[in-house]
Amino acid sequence: MTITEPPVAAFAPGRLFIGGQWRDASDGSRQDVINPATGAKITDVARASAADVDAAVAAARDAFDSGPWPRMSSRERARILQRAYELMREHTEELAQAESANVGKPIMLARFVDVNNAAELFEYYAAYGHHLDGAVRETTGATHAYVKKEPFGVVAAITPFNFPLILSSSKIAPALIAGNTVVHKPASDTPLSALLMAGILAEAGVPDGVYNVVTGAGGTIGDHLVSHPDVDKVAFTGSTAVGAHAASLAAASLTPFTAELGGNAANIVFADADLDQAIQTVISAFVFNSGQFCMSGPRLLVERPIHDTVLGILRDAVPQVPFGDPTLPETVIGPLASADQLEKVTGMVQRAKDAGATVVTGGERVGTDGFFYRPTVLADLAADAEAVVDEIFGPVLTVQPFDTEDEAVALANGTAYGLASGIQTRDLAKAHRVASRLQAGITWINGWALMDPSVPFGGVKASGWGREGGPEAMESYQRSHSIVFNLATD
Ligand code: NAP
């Protein structure tokens, strides 16, 4: 496979952004950033230590306690976030090139999904700032009561490798509009867009210390950040295992914690579905971002009368999806984001094969330098097979037949996760009935990944707590303060 080197001229200043200043790590450490399409180093960035986390939290604390940000009106903050939105639009190409080269995303995906959706989150929450308000409450006694919405203070935002720009924007934009200050730790493998965003937010007028970025290893600085006494709120997105660990640390100091964690969504295709549309949905749901999407659809449940037909169509159609060089505009599936992801996916598919799964298509690595894994469809798996119940996080689809609505619901709900789900059917009554029984934060009908900044997403069960997107996200970044006056005259 021939891979074009991305234009790497000025990806990002590879330094920490603390208190409005670019700084090296206090001990001078650096970490490499790898292009997943080639396996080669594209740049390096500072690798923060606990001392750097202390400095970033101190800057955010100072900006919250003494700086202008929480004291200015939400309208003034809104104007600055709106400017950030405009700058993101102006810097679309730079952000998209960084996201594509760093994560291995096809360039069109990076432009039209990652940068676009991230910018829209800033636009949405900027608009929100024009009507942030509290409430006056009717009381029974001689009192006057009102409820103010106040920011938490210093928010630690911890984000994963797969959608760096969108998932950081879904935290930073609502956190900032509410008046919080932020210390952001992006994933070690994909830190570049956070550094670009530091420059963009500063240029937009976000005051020094309000948005700080510490790049570095979660295993080294994550615990320190989450349990830092000056952090008032932790917003975590990542795996269920790391999220549970971080939540336990936050619980020890009673620090509020929201958790957007792993997923393993079922996509239920009924025999009455529009088959062409359903197949397109099934394929895009599992290959989108090389399957590295918390809300991807790696579990296909097909009503038995169309099971064999669907498998046959997938056998022919999946290899036709343009796969390869992420710099090419026609590419739909790029590499996995890291050698670790490749190893994880390879191992899970191999164990499924060893356990007797049928490989309908795919099932192998492609090339030796980049982290490409051919889109894969597996059939004939047991309901409790590892590849069915665990999160694969790669371009792999498992297919299971079902006979009744009850069975489809039981299979769909049959894993520890509960993030997304989908139903493909022409029968709207059935769609409503089944959707109401699915344990998931979001259910798409006759489509997949239909996202909008106004629509909340988040998990149930092992997929987490809290919601991002929409007005619901504001609950993660504001708390109520009731103020009650005694109106009695004697
Ligand atoms: P991960 O390994 O859990 O890492 C997530 C973040 O946590 C990274 O920034 C990581 O830093 C950091 N971290 C690691 N150890 C930590 C610790 N002890 N304390 C605090 N932070 C620590 O997840 P990932 O592999 O990057 O992302 C994939 C996972 O995220 C999948 O399970 C996916 O489903 C989930 N996800 C969920 C959503 C959602 O909205 N529900 C969205 C996207 C992804 P390092 O990178 O430096 O290790």
Side-chain angles (χ1 to χ4, degrees), residues 127-143:
Y128 215 90
H130 291 281
H131 52 87
L132 275 183
D133 54 18
V136 175
R137 292 288 157 84
E138 287 298 321
T139 56
T140 51
T143 56

Side-chain angles (χ1 to χ4, degrees), residues 176-490:
L176 292 187
I177 199 65
N180 298 283
T181 60
V182 174
V183 176
H184 179 197
K185 197 212 91 58
S188 291
D189 287 331
T190 59
L192 296 185
S193 56
L195 296 171
L196 290 172
M197 280 305 293
I200 286 174
L201 292 174
E203 189 181 341
V206 171
D208 293 352
V210 171
Y211 177 63
N212 307 275
V213 184
V214 283
T215 50
T220 312
I221 58 171
D223 288 6
H224 192 65
L225 178 58
V226 169
S227 37
H228 201 292
D230 268 333
V231 165
D232 301 306
K233 156 82 207 221
V234 177
F236 178 91
T237 300
S239 62
T240 296
V242 175
H245 165 76
S248 71
L249 293 180
S253 53
L254 296 175
T255 304
F257 190 93
T258 40
E260 298 286 341
L261 306 179
N264 189 6
N267 191 359
I268 305 173
V269 178
F270 286 97
D272 64 19
D274 172 334
L275 201 52
D276 289 344
Q277 185 192 41
I279 293 285
Q280 275 186 24
T281 297
V282 165
I283 294 175
S284 66
F286 92 92
V287 304
F288 182 61
N289 208 41
S290 298
Q292 301 163 121
F293 177 35
C294 52
M295 293 189 277
S296 87
R299 291 191 297 134
L300 172 59
L301 310 180
V302 195
E303 200 164 8
R304 198 175 299 275
I306 59 164
H307 174 264
D308 292 351
T309 307
V310 167
L311 275 191
I313 298 173
L314 290 173
R315 182 180 293 114
D316 295 337
V318 170
Q320 307 301 320
V321 182
F323 168 64
D325 187 345
T327 64
L328 299 178
E330 62 270 26
T331 298
V332 173
I333 313 174
L336 291 159
S338 67
D340 283 353
Q341 276 304 115
L342 176 65
E343 190 185 329
K344 185 180 161 219
V345 172
T346 308
M348 281 181 90
V349 173
Q350 187 57 51
R351 289 190 292 280
K353 288 190 215 171
D354 294 345
T358 301
V359 179
V360 178
T361 182
E364 61 189 359
R365 181 183 183 180
V366 181
T368 51
D369 295 332
F371 312 134
F372 291 91
Y373 197 85
R374 208 178 285 292
T376 297
V377 179
L378 301 174
D380 305 319
L381 296 116
D384 61 353
E386 180 199 30
V388 172
V389 295
D390 286 355
E391 183 184 39
I392 300 180
F393 225 55
V396 179
L397 182 73
T398 64
V399 187
Q400 295 170 275
F402 68 87
D403 291 300
T404 63
E405 263 178 53
D406 283 351
E407 190 186 359
V409 169
L411 287 169
N413 291 340
T415 79
Y417 299 101
L419 195 56
S421 53
I423 301 168
Q424 317 304 323
T425 177
R426 285 191 174 98
D427 181 341
L428 292 186
K430 185 173 7 185
H432 283 290
R433 210 165 47 232
V434 174
S436 69
R437 297 176 66 193
L438 294 179
Q439 295 165 347
I442 194 163
T443 300
W444 292 297
I445 313 294
N446 294 329
W448 200 270
L450 308 167
M451 307 294 293
D452 190 277
S454 66
V455 177
F457 65 92
V460 301
K461 303 196 295 186
S463 292
W465 315 314
R467 293 292 178 266
E468 296 200 331
E472 285 78 1
M474 296 309 297
E475 288 165 23
S476 299
Y477 299 104
Q478 290 183 301
R479 54 188 164 199
S480 299
H481 183 173
S482 302
I483 297 169
V484 186
F485 286 69
N486 182 1
L487 301 183
T489 50
D490 52 11

